[in-house]
């Protein structure tokens, strides 16, 4: 064997190794933290499409909502660098954006068409006009109800009912012997769970978290009225143990046919009408979230689950590619092709609501109407110094509201009176606000 | 007998391990102490300087502090009582000759190998759920209204879940002690006319004293920092917020590192007080 053969083989090996190293360097593995909601689970199933298109791989860290918030907040404040993309919401994005903790998404490609994002979503995910997270789906809250049970009760759901009507209808639908509860609502402690729901309910009774000088308002009659109404209605017509129920628990109850009505995120509509998961898929109607008689504000919120990139990640370019893929119109069409138009992530893009295919989806219009009816800059009857409907957009809110919602959950469970819960909420909120320098 | 030279060599060889272990404990403890005197708010611009004892005063004067200490002590006391009483009974039962003894013992010990988060999830969703849980179905079968375990009987529920996890540990230690008991002594007592209760009270229980002491000491150390079971089931609501959980809320949910660190130091002090108390009361059993 001449010397040329080994030399040739060695060169070929070197080139092969070099090419493989380049390929490894080019193909990136992204670590993405996300919430265990159905749309995100669906996205995980479609990740191969992204990998095929870009060569980048994806590792998912899927967590329950409360846990996700703590994990990503800790990671970003300590600059832990565990994630390349984080699933965050309208509460975190402006605060983190202001701190310079997120990569600005001001250079997304022309095909992405950032102007197509619903204005409310885009505004809620921006800080000083710069987008810091792209909405994967947007939501408000609305009523989902069983048309068959409503008919059986001899009632008809108006498009925009009041709480008083809802209470009456819930009582009429309740059939405890057959495990049917007139209404299922959140009571689980946690600012984004029961805390979010009771806040919008209170808004619709004319209550607010703070006055214009950041004094807590739990000692005001509107809060008491809202809580008394809520506890009274749930005792009459709610499921057992509602004080520990959050979004997923109520979704499961509704899908099992155990709820006459459920007021929660608009995004749930696709899950309750999906015959693969829901036993009542063909018997669900929709209506706007209720308001109390004489109060103009409805109990609907505004939220987006969005994808943001923590500043300092080494994989910024690949992360942006993923965000463009996951929040694009192409992705929406991919889901539609695989699972039907009813299952596409809703509430993020204007074009979706102009799409003829989507107009036939039974909850499309009500979702859009609910989103458009929510205004985070004017969330309550009386004036407030904060932005946000089901939250107050200040860094201290998550800690305060979690404790407040714990006090409320204890009242729902009958462990303390409504007056006790409100007094404790008032004291702990004022203490925390004073310590934070607001008062 | 070790020479001066070999003793020096031993010290030198042990030094890395000792330094590592000291560092392992001292670094976090020193950092906690350091942060506890500082206003450290990651969401509000980070470390904002020295605040003296302000965090300590705020933590202890918060309306949540004493209830959380009380909850911690109730959970620790409840679990200790259940595990020791049932541990002794189970140990005596498992000591009896029976068919399939090996399998029974493995089954009894099995819960100890289940992760706390997993067992808490199983208890929450499969047993205690008031709509779909096994207990709810049992209650309904007998015509009773299902108990809303985690909201209406939250502390007993947590004690039950944790006891289920720790009972195997207690049983295992106590079984070993029961097996080391001289059977001739029991036979002699029986021949002298001692009744079963007397045999248990005057022979078996004193013999188990050391093992019970070990169970109490080891379990107390772990139970003072109980967290996962509460996090998964109630999220600290319904009066189940222990001191550890309160510290977690201050640090992670409120993002107040200084305040949480002061809480951490209080927890260390509390743990030491309990440890000294326990050593004085029950630790004397270990001297023999």
């Amino acid at each position: 064997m001449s010397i040329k053969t080994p030399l040739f083989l060695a060169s070929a090996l070197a080139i092969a190794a070099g090419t493989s190293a380049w390929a490894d360097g080019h193909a990136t593995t992204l670590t993405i933290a996300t919430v265990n909601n159905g749309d995100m689970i669906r996205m995980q199933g479609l990740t191969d499409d992204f990998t095929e298109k870009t060569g980048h791989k994806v590792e998912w860290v899927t967590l329950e909502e409360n846990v996700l918030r703590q994990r990503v907040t800790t990671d970003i404040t300590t600059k832990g660098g565990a994630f390349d993309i984080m699933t965050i919401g309208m509460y975190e994005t402006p605060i983190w954006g202001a701190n310079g903790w997120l990569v600005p998404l001001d250079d997304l490609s022309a095909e992405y068409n950032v102007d197509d994002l619903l204005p409310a979503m885009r505004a809620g995910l921006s800080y000083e006009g710069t987008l810091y997270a792209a909405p994967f789906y947007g939501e408000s809250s609305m009523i989902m109800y069983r048309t068959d049970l409503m008919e059986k009760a001899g009632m008809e759901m108006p498009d925009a009912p009041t709480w008083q009507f809802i209470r009456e209808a819930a009582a009429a639908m309740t059939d405890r012997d057959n495990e049917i509860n007139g209404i299922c609502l959140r009571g689980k402690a946690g600012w984004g769970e029961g805390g979010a729901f009771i806040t919008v309910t209170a808004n619709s009774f004319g209550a607010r978290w703070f006055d214009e000088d950041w004094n807590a308002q739990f000692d005001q009659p509107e809060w008491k009225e809202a809580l008394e109404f809520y506890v009274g209605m749930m005792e009459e017509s709610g499921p057992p143990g509602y004080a520990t129920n959050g979004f997923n628990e109520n979704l499961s109850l509704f899908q099992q046919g155990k709820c006459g009505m459920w007021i929660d995120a608009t995004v749930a509509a696709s899950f309750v009408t999906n015959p693969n998961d829901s036993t009542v898929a063909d018997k669900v109607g929709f209506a706007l979230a209720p308001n109390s008689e004489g109060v103009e504000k409805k109990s609907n919120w505004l939220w987006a689950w969005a994808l943001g990139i923590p500043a300092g990640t080494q994989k910024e370019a690949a992360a942006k590619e993923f965000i463009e893929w996951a929040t694009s119109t192409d992705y929406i069409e991919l889901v539609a092709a695989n699972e039907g138009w009813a299952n596409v992530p809703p509430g993020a893009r204007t074009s979706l609501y102009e799409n003829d295919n989507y107009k036939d989806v039974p909850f499309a219009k009500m979702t859009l109407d609910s989103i458009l009816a929510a205004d985070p800059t004017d969330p309550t009857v009386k004036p407030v110094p904060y932005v946000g409907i089901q939250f107050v957009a200040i860094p201290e809110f998550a800690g305060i509201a979690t404790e407040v919602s714990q006090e409320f959950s204890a009242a729902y469970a009958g462990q303390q009176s409504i007056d006790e819960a409100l007094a404790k909420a008032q004291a702990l909120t004022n203490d925390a606000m004073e310590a934070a320098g607001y008062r | 007998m070790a020479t001066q030279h070999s003793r020096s060599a031993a010290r030198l060889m042990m030094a890395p391990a000792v330094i590592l272990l000291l560092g392992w404990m001292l670094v976090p403890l020193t950092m906690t102490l350091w942060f506890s005197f500082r206003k450290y708010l990651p969401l509000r611009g980070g470390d904002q300087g020295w605040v003296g004892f302000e965090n300590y005063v705020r933590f202890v004067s918060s309306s949540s502090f004493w209830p959380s200490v009380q909850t911690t002590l109730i959970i620790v006391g409840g679990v200790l009582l259940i595990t020791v009483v049932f541990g002794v009974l189970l140990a005596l039962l498992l000591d009896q000759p029976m068919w399939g003894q090996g399998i029974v013992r493995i089954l009894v010990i099995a819960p100890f190998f289940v992760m706390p988060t997993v067992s808490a999830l199983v208890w929450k969703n499969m047993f205690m759920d008031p709509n779909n849980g096994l207990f709810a179905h049992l209650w309904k079968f007998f015509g009773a209204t299902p108990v809303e375990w985690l909201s209406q009987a939250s502390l007993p529920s947590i004690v039950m879940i944790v006891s289920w996890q720790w009972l195997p540990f207690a049983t295992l230690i106590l079984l070993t002690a029961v097996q080391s008991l001289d059977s001739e002594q029991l036979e002699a007592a029986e021949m002298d006319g001692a009744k079963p209760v007397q045999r248990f009270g005057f022979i078996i229980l004193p013999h188990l004293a050391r093992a019970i002491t070990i169970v109490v000491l080891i379990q107390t150390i772990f139970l003072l920092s109980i967290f996962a079971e509460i996090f998964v089931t109630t999220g600290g609501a319904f009066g189940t917020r222990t001191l550890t959980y309160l510290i977690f809320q201050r640090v992670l949910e409120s993002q107040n590192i200084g305040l949480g660190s002061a809480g951490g130091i209080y927890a260390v002090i509390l743990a030491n007080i309990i440890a000294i108390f326990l050593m004085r009361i029950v630790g004397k059993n270990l001297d023999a």
Side-chain angles (χ1 to χ4, degrees), chain B residues 29 32-33 35-37 53-60 65 68-69 242-248 250-251 256-271:
Chain B
L29 194 62
T32 310
L33 203 60
F35 286 135
S36 71
F37 290 107
F53 283 92
E54 194 187 305
N55 288 326
Y56 286 91
V57 174
R58 271 196 65 206
F59 194 89
V60 86
F65 177 71
S68 72
V69 172
T242 57
L243 189 57
T244 319
Y245 205 91
L246 183 65
I247 295 165
F248 158 78
R250 294 289 178 262
V251 174
N256 192 332
I257 309 289
L259 192 61
S261 299
I265 299 297
Y266 278 125
V268 170
I269 294 168
L270 178 77

Side-chain angles (χ1 to χ4, degrees), chain A residues 368-407:
Chain A
L368 184 65
D369 289 348
S370 298
I371 288 173
L372 295 177
D375 181 2
T377 59
D378 182 23
T380 53
V381 176
K382 292 178 184 165
V384 287
Y386 56 84
V387 171
I389 303 179
Q390 75 278 28
F391 58 84
V392 176
I394 56 171
E396 290 76 15
F397 181 76
I400 298 171
T402 296
E403 287 195 52
V404 168
S405 71
Q406 284 179 344
E407 297 301 340

Side-chain angles (χ1 to χ4, degrees), chain A residues 67 70 73-74 77 95-96 99 101 179 181 188-189 239-241 243-245 249 252-253 256 258 394-396 398-400 402-403 406-407 409-410 413 415 431-432 435 438, chain B residues 39-45 58 63-64 124 129-132 137 140 146 148 150-154 231 233-239 241 245-246 248-250 252-255:
Chain A
V67 185
Q70 284 148 15
T73 307
T74 310
T77 53
I95 297 172
W96 294 6
N99 281 339
W101 293 344
E179 291 190 44
N181 310 286
K188 189 181 191 175
T244 51
N245 287 353
E249 288 83 358
S252 164
L253 286 174
Q256 291 171 42
K258 292 185 175 178
I394 56 171
E396 290 76 15
I400 298 171
T402 296
E403 287 195 52
Q406 284 179 344
E407 297 301 340
S409 291
Q415 285 194 336
D431 280 354
Y438 285 85
Chain B
K39 186 177 185 181
Y40 188 9
L41 305 166
L43 289 171
R44 281 265 173 217
R58 271 196 65 206
S63 57
S64 319
K124 180 189 173 203
D129 186 280
N131 295 293
N132 300 316
H137 287 300
K140 277 185 245 173
E148 293 166 25
L150 290 167
S151 54
Q152 290 181 338
S154 42
F231 183 74
T233 53
T234 63
F238 317 115
R241 187 161 50 184
Y245 205 91
L246 183 65
F248 158 78
Q249 282 200 324
R250 294 289 178 262
L252 281 164
E253 287 181 353
S254 302
Q255 288 286 312

Side-chain angles (χ1 to χ4, degrees), chain B residues 42-232:
Chain B
L43 289 171
R44 281 265 173 217
D47 194 345
Q48 294 168 31
W50 189 260
V51 287
F53 283 92
E54 194 187 305
N55 288 326
Y56 286 91
V57 174
R58 271 196 65 206
F59 194 89
V60 86
S61 60
S62 142
S63 57
S64 319
F65 177 71
W66 287 110
S68 72
V69 172
Q70 198 186 352
T71 305
T72 311
L73 297 178
I74 290 174
I75 292 179
V76 173
V79 175
L80 284 179
L81 189 72
I82 291 174
T83 50
V84 169
V85 171
F86 284 93
V88 170
L89 294 177
L90 267 175
L92 291 174
L93 193 68
L94 288 175
D95 190 45
Q96 306 301 314
M98 68 173 97
W99 185 80
Q101 196 177 43
I103 292 170
V104 171
R105 283 181 186 174
I106 288 171
L107 284 177
V108 169
I109 294 161
F112 197 56
F113 300 105
V114 180
M115 297 273 285
T117 36
V118 175
S119 82
L121 274 173
V122 168
W123 275 89
K124 180 189 173 203
N125 295 325
M126 286 176 64
F127 294 119
M128 291 176 165
D129 186 280
N131 295 293
N132 300 316
L134 185 69
F135 292 163
H137 287 300
L138 265 178
W139 259 247
K140 277 185 245 173
F141 181 77
F142 289 107
T145 312
V147 179
E148 293 166 25
W149 290 94
L150 290 167
S151 54
Q152 290 181 338
S154 42
L155 261 183
S157 302
I158 303 267
V159 169
M160 193 151 80
I161 296 171
V162 180
S163 298
W164 178 80
Q165 283 177 274
W166 280 95
L167 188 58
F169 171 77
T171 308
L172 199 64
I173 302 279
L174 294 166
L175 178 62
T176 325
V178 169
Q179 285 175 336
S180 71
L181 182 63
D182 188 355
S183 60
E184 283 176 14
Q185 209 180 347
L186 282 174
E187 280 163 21
E190 200 177 347
M191 284 168 75
D192 286 347
K195 294 189 172 68
V197 177
Q198 288 171 320
R199 291 204 297 273
F200 176 76
F202 292 108
I203 299 175
I204 299 174
L205 208 54
H207 178 78
L208 290 179
R210 281 181 81 175
I212 290 173
T213 307
I214 290 169
V215 168
V216 170
L217 281 176
I218 294 179
Q219 284 196 174
T220 305
I221 293 166
F222 283 96
L223 294 174
L224 278 172
S225 58
I226 182 166
F227 178 79
E229 294 82 353
I230 298 167
F231 183 74
V232 170

Side-chain angles (χ1 to χ4, degrees), chain A residues 143 157 161-176 180-187 197-198 200-202 204-205 224-240 242-243 250 260-264 289-292 299 411-412 418:
Chain A
I143 304 168
M157 176 71 86
T162 60
W163 275 116
Q164 287 71 19
F165 173 85
I166 294 294
R167 186 171 185 168
E168 207 183 309
M173 286 175 170
T174 301
D175 179 2
R176 293 248 153 95
I180 291 173
N181 310 286
I183 188 156
C184 299
L185 298 174
R186 297 184 191 186
F197 190 81
I198 198 64
V200 293
T201 304
S204 70
F205 277 81
K224 192 173 177 186
E225 193 193 343
L227 274 181
E228 278 178 347
F229 181 90
Y230 182 76
V231 170
M233 179 172 67
M234 295 307 282
E235 275 172 8
E236 283 160 23
S237 317
Y242 74 92
N250 284 326
M261 285 178 283
W262 177 31
I263 306 172
D264 213 302
N291 57 313
S292 182
S299 55
Y412 305 155
I418 288 169

